[in-house]
Every structure is written in structure tokens, then in C-alpha cells.
Amino acid sequence: MLEIQLLGPPLVRVDGQPLQVDTRKAVALLAYLVVEGEVLRDSAAAMFWGGSTDERARASLRRTLSSLRSGVGSDAVSADRIELRLDPDTTSDVQQFNSELAKTTAHDHMPEDVCPSCVPHLKRATDLYRGDFLAGFTIRQAVEFEDWTRTVTEKFRLRAGEAFNRLGFGYASGGNYSQAIEAVTRWTELDPLHEPSHRLLMLLNAWAGDRPGAVASYRNFVGIVDRELGVSPLEETTELYEAILDEDLPPAPALRRQPRTHQPSTAHPPNEMLDRVGELDRLLFSVERRQGGGGKLVVIGGAAWMGKTRLLEEFVQMSTASQKSVAVARSFRMERSLPYGVAAQIIKALAPHIERYRDEIPAWSLQEASRIVPALWAEGSVQSVDAFGELRILEAIEQILSVLGRSHPSVLVVEDLQWIDPASAELLLYLVNRLGQLPILLVVSYRTGERLDQNSRALLAAANEQLILEPLNASTIDPVLAKGHKLPELLSRTGGVPILVLEELKGSGSHDGVTRYMESSLAALSDLAIQILAAASVLAGISTTDLLQEVSGRSESELVEGVEELLRSGILREVAGSEALDFTLDSMRDVVYQSTTLIRRRHLHRRVAMTLSSSQRTRSDARLAGTTAAHFAEAGDESSAVQWYQIAANLAREIYAYAEAQGFLERALALGDDDVAGARLAMGEMAIARGEYQSGIDQLIIGTSRAHGATLALIEHRLGQANRMLGRFELAETNYQNAAKEHPEPADLYSDWALLEHRLGNRSEASRLAKKAVTSAGKTGDSRLRSRVYNISAVIEEDPVKAMKLLDRAIGEDDDQVSKMATLNNRAHILSEIGKPLEAVVLLEEAIAIAHETGHRHREAALLNHLADCYHQQGNKALVEKTQETAVALFADIDSGQWEPEVWLMTRW
């Protein structure tokens, strides 16, 4: 079996063994054949021996070919006097990579888009990409081969980058931001200087709600380009960073829904459309009326949250389902300076239709339009056909739309006109002025109250029809939708804002509600109430009156006055059974928070953090400590945030909340925690405690790159523990030897080392190490450590009476639950061995409860196994089967699908 991997350092195996050849050019020739399929002998000779005479080059090729065929098998590479070729059934990562990407082009969307079915193929493709083509592989005196390698490398690098990009968007579209971030992070690691990948990573973190993570991604890239190139990031990257700080981002991607037929407004249940079906019908009617005639411009306006985007989504789906050629484009605030940004989106969306009718479209039109979307013209460089410049581009796009419109009804949808770039606005106005002869329906939406440029205002003035979306009222809400609700109360609680009405109709809204829609409610408040409300939005779920007063900086009488106003308005409510206040609707909290200036928000976050950090309770409550850290982070005080995340992690670890503790440590690292090794050590220890040995090993290995001295010794010690539990005894021995040099607690190390020697049957060495552990433990004031040393010494002790005495000392040293669990287990072992299974069962049941409470899954499995043995001694077959079944399930979960025999042999510790 021939296995060929060329994406990354070349790896060729024959029947599982590395390829044995006497020249590197044999590997290079194999790579050349994998990519090219078949090549002329003369071409191959010139490729690798271009500096030799033809005769010597051909002779060298014959020798290299002979060596290659001897290594991989004569059937794999065939040759005649003219050509060399690779067996077409030979598989390689290059072929698999291309195949997986090709499968994503068979779906019903543009090649650059991604649908749910694309994601598995993209994942497999990116997993194959270990690095650049033939990374680190060179041969001497083969300039042509080096040139060819550079070309192929760049081709695969571009394809891999696009695959990682699409995979990131694919995961993000499904809401799986963690995997999206993981995919794009790997991309940045493979190509650290690829700036678009770093921008996408920043966006993904921001979309996932991890703004510190997005900031950290930016800072990491700044360091890379400064270190590698001595330059600053491009302006586009810096603008995105500033947009993230201002929380002014483009919308996160969403998976496109399948088109569905339009349902009558009197029959459908509450959904995102609500009563906008009337407007939808008018839009659809505009499409049908336009067929066969001239064009039309329809404008949809309204304030934020009035349902413009949702209405257009439904319209686009139905237009697509009825075989219209539809192009959708959206303007973004941060892309106003990008010329023809919206125009490019339109052309790309129409690309499949353009390709279908390419023969009917004048070549000059495609050539001019390719100035905006280069993919339209792949026949050489673009030459201007006259001197009219921009006008010629506008005429070209008009010509393309005219041809498409004759065959299919064309619909162009442009959202958020208020942010459109000037060049695209000029194009839309140009098209509108020619709608009499141009067969398209142009639908434009804009947000009322925003400033529009001159061209945008001219567009609105030229509209054939305007649909202004207003808040819902008693006459516009469909009675069928509102069945079971009293309309006056419904409107009183929601103010007619569609999204809030929808929450009520679906049963997710507040019963106290908002008396008017959000913007009106906020506008009606006093300055005092607004200030207190901003403080409440920052405090979120911990808004007590005491905290509100501290954070807002207002006197007690002012606070009472402001809170009473907010309660009367229905914006805040009192939480039953507590002194806390909360927003009636979460969405209102978001609106208030976003409308508060960034400077004010940071100031409030700092006040919250300082108030919480001054409380003694915060230093004993992991949740409050984590909240304090989060507020310091939002305030921009990253050093204090790191400190409090570390405190939160320690507190969470003390109560065995390992998942929360790891989360706190990861956030600290994301903010620039200097103690990377210490954090990785802690995360590794917690993973090992949960029985997640490989995960723990991964964390510890990362920590070794940043550790030294005592911390490095502790990491080596923990690696030894994990390797011992997985049966990797030689590795564990090496880890313990490395740890012995600078270990801060030798007694702890010697104890584990003694267990390893005991497991290997080296009784004398185990006893010697146990005695060293006892001697060393006597010099320390750590009672928990002494308890552990006595426990392990009892395991090694062969005399049950002496072992029991050691366990008595262990239980007397420390009341720590984990130490107690070990002592109970070891006592139970001795009791069962001397024929007292009933007494052993009592101890094991107590130990199992401790293991379950403290999250020690592996120890719990071992204890259950021991308990089953005791039931077997008693002859209780039913309890044996039940207990063994639970133990097996836990053991299997720890193995995670890869059987590790040593995991199942754990008995004492």
C-alpha cells in the first residue's frame, strides 16, 4: 500500500514503512508525477538535470526512475520511451484535497459560498493541509524544479486559504463559533502573514461575543507583522479593530434557508413576518407587473427593528423559488470607503446567470465590468476601450442587466442605503434613470432618521413606490396571530415593535412589558433615569440598589427617584424574592448598553469592578470573582482582569468546578496572562483529575515551552502522572527523572514515582522511594501532602497491619476530601483482602460519593469496579452486574474511543 503526503513535509510510506530510496530526486520525481499525472521523459529530465547534457540527463532520469520504482513498486509508476505516469488508482493527500474541494462546487450555490453540506468536505480538506507543498524539502541543482515547486505551493496555499475561510464562515453560519475560530486560527498558524485570515479571526471572536478575544487576535497580528516585516497592519485591519471596539460590525453570517411557498396571512402561526405579509404581497405583485415591461424602483423605509431585513429575506426566497434571477447586496457602515462595494456584490450574485448568457452579452461589457469583479474576464489584462472611464463601467453593467432581464425577471435588492459607498450609489441612480427601458425591479431599503448623501436622496425621490414600516397597532395585527392575547395589553407591553410583539406571541416576552417601543421609552426618560439605566445595563444580572448607587455615583435620594421612574415606565422590574432589579426585556438591556458611549461604558465597568473587588465575599465566590474580572476586561484594565480571572479559577478549582476554572484561565490567557506555564499546568492538572488524560497532556506540553525551574519540574511531574495512568511507563519514568532536578515538593514526586515502580513490580525500588517520600514529607508543613505520602506508602506496604497504621496517620493528617477518598479506598482494599467485604462496601460507598462530587471520574470508575468485586465476594450477582455496568461506562468515557488498557487497571492511589 502506497501512502503519499505532500501537503507539508513530504511523507511517503510503503506498506506502513517510510520509503527507502537512495536519492532525494526520487521523492521529487514522485511529487512531480502526483501533481502532473503524466509527463514527458524529456520534460522530467530537463526539470531535474537541466544543467547536464541531454544524454547525462536521460541517464540520471533512468537511474532515479529505477530507484523510485524499486521503492514504491513497479506497478505504481509506469514508463515508456516517451512518457512517465503514475498509476491512476494511487491516492495522495493532494488528490484527496482537490477531490474534497471539488465536491463543494456540486451544490446549488456560487463556488465561493458555503452551505451545510460543504462543511464536512471543507473540514476534511483542511485537515489534509499540514502546511505548504513539500515544506522544507529541497534538492540541489534543480532550478526548474524549485520554480515549479513555488508555483504549486502558491496554488495550494491559495486554495487552502479559501477552504479555511469558507470553513470558518460555514461553522459561523451554523452558530458554531468555537469550531470556526479553531479553523481560522489554524489557518493563521499555517500562514501567519496572511492578513485577511487574521481579520476573519477578529470578526469571528467579535461575532461570538468575545471582544477581548478579538482584540487579542488583532494585537497578536500587530506583533507578527512588526516582528517579521517591521510594518503596521493594513488600514483595513485597523479599521476593523476600531469597529470592534465601537461594536459597529457587519451582521454575522447565517445559513440560507430553503425557499418555501408563500402562505396566506390569515393562516400562518406567529413567526418573524407577523403582519408584514401585506407589504410582502405588494413586493411580489411588483415583480409580476414588471414582467414584459420596464423597470421599477420600490423603497422600503423604517426605523431600526421594524422588520425591513426580515421582509426582504422572505421576498428574496419567494422570488428565487419562482425562478427569478435575484441579486442581494448590503451596505455596511465600515465599508463606505470601498468603491463599488455594493455593485460588486450585485455582479457576483448574478454571475451564474451571466455565465449562462455570456454569448449574448457584448464582450466589452464583460471586460469593463471585470474592473469591479475580475473573475468575469479571464482572457488577459483589461484594456479600456475608450476614455470615458466610469461612464463606460455604468453602461457595461446596464448592458448586462438588459440582456439578463430579457430572459429572466431580474430583481436587485440593496439593503441599508444609508451606508452605501458613493460609486455604487452613482450606479443605482444611473440605472433608475433608465428604468423605462431596463427590465429589472430594484428594491432598496434604508433606515429612517439617518443622514443620506445626495445620490441616495435622489433615489428615494425617484421611487415608484414607498413602503414605510411603522410599529404594529390594533388594526394591523392579524386577529389570528393575536388569538389568546388582549391587543391593548399586548401593545402596551411592546409598543408595537415587531420583535417584541413576536416575543409576546411566542410566550417569551415579559408580563410587565414595555409601555412603548424601546426608542420612544428611552427618549421619554429623564437624564437621571438614563444614567441609572446605563449603570443597570452594565451590571446586568447583579443590579441591586446598593450596587446601582455605587456604580451610578448618585445619592440615595437620586437613586430612589430614578429607579421609581424606571419602574413606572416598565423598563425595570423588581426580581421577586430579592433586592435585585432587572430589565423587563433582555433586548432593552442590549439597546441601553449599546447606546451608552464607549467611554461611559468603560467608566461604569471600572466602577463595578472596583466595587466588587473591594468586597470580601468576592474573594471567596468564584462567580463574583469571574464577574469582577469580566468587568475589569470591559473597562480595558487587562492586568487586573487577568489577576481576577486567576482568583476566580482558583476558587472554582477548590469547589471542583473544573470546567468553569478552565474557562477563567483561558480568558486570562486571552488577555495576555504572563504566567502561561502556570495556567497550562493548572488546566492540565484539572484535565487529569477528570480523567481526560490526553487533553491534560496537551495542555502540559504547551506549558513546557514557556516554563522553567520549579514550574517546569511540576509540569514534568504531572506529565509523568498522566503517562503512568495511560501505561506509558518509560515516558513516565523519564518525566519523573526530569522533574527531580528542581521539584519544589520532592515528597509528592517520590510518592508517584514509588507507585510507578510498584506497578512495574520493582518492590525494593518502590519501598526506597516511599521511604524518601516519608522523610521529605516530615520536613514540610503541608498536611495534605503528608496525608498523600502516607496513603501511597500504605499501598506499597505488604503487611496489612502496618498498612492500616499508615492509613490511620493519613486520615489524621488532613480532612481534605480527595485525600479522604484515597484513604477510604485503600482501607477497603485491605478489608476485602482479609475477608471483610461488608465493611469494605461501607467505605467504598462513601468514597464513591466523594469522587462523584469532586469530579474525579477515573477514580469513581475504579471505586465502582472495587465495589463490584466486594459484591461478588458476598455472592450478590444482581448488584455486581449493575455496579460493573456503571463502572464500564465511566471507563469507556475516559478512554474516549481509544482503548488504553492501563486505564482499566487502576485500583489504588
Side-chain angles (χ1 to χ4, degrees):
M1 186 179 71
L2 181 59
E3 179 187 354
I4 305 172
Q5 296 181 40
L6 304 177
L7 299 177
L11 179 61
V12 183
R13 291 191 180 96
V14 181
D15 294 330
Q17 298 300 314
L19 173 65
Q20 299 293 329
V21 288
D22 57 7
T23 172
R24 291 170 64 86
K25 286 190 177 179
V27 176
L29 177 60
L30 179 62
Y32 188 43
L33 290 172
V34 166
V35 175
E36 301 296 336
E38 56 184 38
V39 296
L40 297 173
R41 291 185 76 111
D42 289 345
S43 297
M47 173 71 71
F48 296 102
W49 296 277
S52 302
T53 64
D54 291 347
E55 183 177 348
R56 289 188 63 184
R58 285 193 291 268
S60 298
L61 175 61
R62 284 194 299 272
R63 287 193 296 273
T64 302
L65 182 61
S66 175
S67 175
L68 177 60
R69 296 183 71 187
S70 297
V72 302
S74 58
D75 293 338
V77 180
S78 59
D80 54 33
R81 300 185 64 181
I82 299 175
E83 287 185 335
L84 310 176
R85 64 185 65 83
L86 196 64
D87 183 345
D89 293 331
T90 301
T91 60
S92 67
D93 58 349
V94 166
Q95 176 218 9
Q96 293 168 340
F97 178 82
N98 289 332
S99 174
E100 293 295 343
L101 293 186
K103 290 172 183 176
T104 68
T105 64
H107 305 152
D108 188 20
H109 55 66
M110 292 289 290
E112 66 269 18
D113 289 342
V114 59
C115 68
S117 299
C118 293
V119 171
H121 298 300
L122 292 168
K123 177 66 167 64
R124 286 191 285 270
T126 53
D127 284 345
L128 289 166
Y129 193 80
R130 298 174 295 121
D132 282 343
F133 178 75
L134 294 181
F137 180 83
T138 59
I139 57 176
R140 291 180 299 174
Q141 298 177 341
V143 176
E144 291 82 358
F145 177 74
E146 290 179 4
D147 291 341
W148 175 83
T149 301
R150 278 194 292 270
T151 301
V152 175
T153 297
E154 187 61 24
K155 179 182 75 172
F156 280 111
R157 184 183 292 167
L158 290 173
R159 299 201 73 194
E162 182 61 25
F164 278 113
N165 181 56
R166 295 176 64 204
L167 181 60
F169 272 106
Y171 279 134
S173 298
N176 194 339
Y177 287 106
S178 61
Q179 284 191 281
I181 290 169
E182 181 182 341
V184 178
T185 298
R186 184 161 165 258
W187 181 17
T188 63
E189 291 168 350
L190 289 169
D191 193 355
L193 295 175
H194 188 264
E195 199 149 348
S197 64
H198 289 275
R199 284 198 293 271
L200 179 55
L201 185 59
M202 292 161 61
L203 269 175
L204 288 169
N205 278 284
W207 282 332
D210 184 10
R211 190 168 58 173
V215 171
S217 298
Y218 173 75
R219 292 181 175 178
N220 176 57
F221 181 65
V222 170
I224 290 172
V225 293
D226 179 66
R227 184 171 59 253
E228 299 295 331
L229 305 176
V231 299
S232 299
L234 296 176
E235 185 178 354
E236 184 179 353
T237 305
T238 304
E239 287 178 354
L240 175 59
Y241 169 67
E242 293 170 351
I244 289 171
L245 294 180
D246 293 338
E247 298 181 354
D248 180 18
L249 296 172
L255 290 177
R256 298 179 180 179
R257 301 178 304 165
Q258 294 298 316
R260 58 183 176 81
T261 57
H262 177 41
Q263 298 292 329
S265 62
T266 56
H268 62 77
N271 61 31
E272 292 85 348
M273 283 298 296
L274 286 174
D275 77 329
R276 301 304 189 196
V277 177
E279 287 87 347
L280 177 61
D281 288 336
R282 290 171 66 181
L283 283 173
L284 294 172
F285 182 65
S286 294
V287 177
E288 301 308 320
R289 281 187 62 188
R290 195 220 55 74
Q291 282 188 263
K296 184 175 182 180
L297 169 63
V298 178
V299 170
I300 301 174
W305 295 17
M306 285 297 109
K308 300 184 296 298
T309 297
R310 184 65 191 87
L311 170 62
L312 288 174
E313 284 178 355
E314 197 79 10
F315 169 66
V316 166
Q317 288 176 8
M318 294 182 182
S319 297
T320 304
S322 59
Q323 305 303 309
K324 312 294 189 298
S325 58
V326 181
V328 181
R330 168 171 289 181
S331 309
F332 299 107
R333 188 195 305 271
M334 58 184 289
E335 294 183 1
R336 278 176 165 172
S337 61
L338 301 180
Y340 291 113
V342 168
Q345 293 179 56
I346 292 172
I347 295 172
K348 287 179 181 178
L350 292 174
H353 304 286
I354 294 173
E355 191 62 33
R356 189 176 303 127
Y357 298 103
R358 174 178 284 271
D359 293 341
E360 300 178 31
I361 300 172
W364 70 265
S365 299
L366 294 173
Q367 191 179 27
E368 286 295 334
S370 69
R371 295 179 182 277
I372 300 174
V373 179
L376 289 179
W377 189 259
E379 301 177 24
S381 61
V382 177
Q383 300 290 333
S384 180
V385 296
D386 61 29
F388 287 104
E390 183 182 12
L391 177 60
R392 198 63 170 166
I393 292 177
L394 303 183
E395 291 174 343
I397 296 174
E398 177 196 1
Q399 184 66 40
I400 291 171
L401 293 173
S402 179
V403 172
L404 296 183
R406 291 199 298 266
S407 304
H408 281 75
S410 296
V411 179
L412 307 185
V413 176
V414 178
E415 295 189 61
D416 291 323
L417 181 68
Q418 70 276 2
W419 295 324
I420 194 170
D421 62 276
S424 294
E426 184 75 30
L427 169 64
L428 294 186
L429 189 58
Y430 179 87
L431 296 177
V432 166
N433 291 333
R434 288 153 181 78
L435 283 178
Q437 297 79 38
L438 197 59
I440 63 170
L441 173 67
L442 177 60
V443 182
V444 174
S445 74
Y446 75 102
R447 183 179 296 180
T448 54
E450 295 275 353
R451 183 178 178 181
L452 301 176
D453 62 21
Q454 182 178 353
N455 285 336
S456 298
R457 292 196 301 271
L459 277 172
L460 298 188
N464 301 103
E465 186 174 1
Q466 285 211 29
L467 306 177
I468 303 299
L469 304 188
E470 301 284 356
L472 308 179
N473 56 51
S475 64
T476 57
I477 294 181
D478 193 317
V480 175
L481 298 181
K483 186 177 180 180
H485 296 266
K486 295 180 180 179
L487 282 178
E489 294 180 6
L490 178 67
L491 293 170
S492 176
R493 289 194 295 271
T494 64
V497 176
I499 192 172
L500 302 184
V501 174
L502 179 64
E503 288 185 36
E504 291 284 340
L505 295 178
K506 288 185 173 180
S508 59
S510 165
H511 295 295
D512 295 326
V514 181
T515 59
R516 294 177 300 276
Y517 64 96
M518 294 181 189
E519 290 83 353
S520 299
S521 297
L522 294 176
L525 294 175
S526 66
D527 289 343
L528 174 63
I530 287 289
Q531 291 180 20
I532 293 171
L533 198 59
S537 74
V538 169
L539 282 165
I542 54 172
S543 294
T544 63
T545 51
D546 290 341
L547 271 174
L548 268 178
Q549 184 176 349
E550 287 284 347
V551 174
S552 66
R554 291 297 172 181
S555 65
E556 184 177 354
S557 60
E558 288 174 325
L559 180 73
V560 170
E561 179 185 345
V563 168
E564 286 182 348
E565 180 183 350
L566 293 168
L567 291 173
R568 285 195 306 270
S569 69
I571 294 176
L572 291 185
R573 62 184 177 88
E574 295 176 304
V575 179
S578 72
E579 298 179 356
L581 298 167
D582 200 2
F583 282 84
T584 303
L585 289 173
D586 290 341
S587 49
M588 176 59 90
R589 185 256 175 190
D590 294 338
V591 169
V592 174
Y593 186 83
Q594 298 297 335
S595 62
T596 305
T597 65
L598 181 60
I599 294 176
R600 172 74 172 154
R601 286 205 304 265
R602 287 188 172 180
H603 174 73
L604 291 172
H605 278 297
R606 172 166 288 283
R607 290 185 67 94
V608 175
M610 296 302 294
T611 300
L612 290 175
S613 63
S614 64
S615 169
Q616 190 60 38
R617 182 186 167 200
T618 305
R619 294 188 174 272
S620 59
D621 186 318
R623 186 185 70 86
L624 283 177
T627 301
T628 302
H631 282 291
F632 271 123
E634 290 294 337
D637 187 347
E638 294 179 357
S639 61
S640 296
V642 167
Q643 176 188 348
W644 276 98
Y645 274 131
Q646 291 170 338
I647 293 171
N650 291 334
L651 291 171
R653 192 175 177 184
E654 286 178 5
I655 57 175
Y656 311 109
Y658 294 136
E660 290 79 1
Q662 178 162 334
F664 291 139
L665 288 172
E666 287 174 348
R667 293 187 189 98
L669 288 173
L671 289 171
D673 185 356
D674 291 334
D675 188 14
V676 176
R680 296 297 181 183
L681 170 61
M683 288 192 282
E685 288 175 336
M686 290 185 287
I688 291 170
R690 295 194 299 269
E692 298 170 0
Y693 293 110
Q694 191 54 55
S695 174
I697 288 172
D698 292 342
Q699 293 286 358
L700 294 169
I701 289 174
I702 294 172
T704 57
S705 66
R706 303 289 291 273
H708 52 82
T711 302
L712 181 57
L714 286 171
I715 290 177
E716 289 282 2
H717 181 185
R718 301 302 178 247
L719 281 169
Q721 282 181 296
N723 284 321
R724 175 173 62 82
M725 298 309 300
L726 294 176
R728 303 167 186 171
F729 300 132
E730 290 185 8
L731 279 176
E733 183 88 28
T734 301
N735 292 137
Y736 290 151
Q737 290 171 353
N738 293 338
K741 300 171 185 176
E742 298 185 75
H743 202 290
E745 293 291 354
D748 196 24
L749 173 63
Y750 292 142
S751 296
D752 279 320
W753 206 336
L755 273 182
L756 172 63
E757 297 298 337
H758 182 259
R759 170 66 183 85
L760 293 172
N762 302 327
R763 295 184 177 180
S764 61
E765 182 63 13
S767 178
R768 185 186 72 81
L769 288 167
K771 288 177 182 177
K772 286 187 70 172
V774 171
T775 301
S776 183
K779 302 175 183 178
T780 179
D782 189 341
S783 58
R784 184 180 302 185
L785 176 59
R786 289 199 300 270
S787 175
R788 186 166 188 271
V789 168
Y790 293 136
N791 252 308
I792 291 175
S793 298
V795 172
I796 294 167
E797 177 58 59
E798 297 180 18
D799 185 337
V801 175
K802 292 181 179 179
M804 277 293 191
K805 288 182 179 179
L806 286 168
L807 293 175
D808 288 339
R809 294 183 68 180
I811 202 72
E813 283 289 349
D814 190 45
D815 59 357
D816 174 66
Q817 288 290 86
V818 177
S819 298
K820 184 178 181 181
M821 171 179 59
T823 305
L824 291 169
N825 175 53
N826 293 328
R827 280 179 177 275
H829 266 285
I830 295 173
L831 290 171
S832 61
E833 287 168 0
I834 62 177
K836 296 181 179 181
L838 285 174
E839 295 179 38
V841 165
V842 174
L843 299 181
L844 287 171
E845 288 176 341
E846 184 179 356
I848 288 168
I850 294 173
H852 187 76
E853 177 188 349
T854 58
H856 286 74
R857 294 187 302 154
H858 194 173
R859 287 169 171 76
E860 183 180 357
L863 289 165
L864 285 164
N865 213 20
H866 187 187
L867 182 61
D869 289 340
C870 291
Y871 286 143
H872 180 71
Q873 281 184 274
Q874 297 173 31
N876 193 331
K877 185 177 180 181
L879 282 177
V880 169
E881 291 179 355
K882 181 180 179 181
T883 307
Q884 196 67 58
E885 184 179 335
T886 306
V888 167
L890 272 172
F891 275 126
D893 186 44
I894 294 164
D895 262 1
S896 299
Q898 183 176 351
W899 191 56
E900 301 282 359
E902 191 66 21
V903 166
W904 297 67
L905 298 178
M906 183 182 190
T907 55
R908 304 176 74 177
W909 56 89

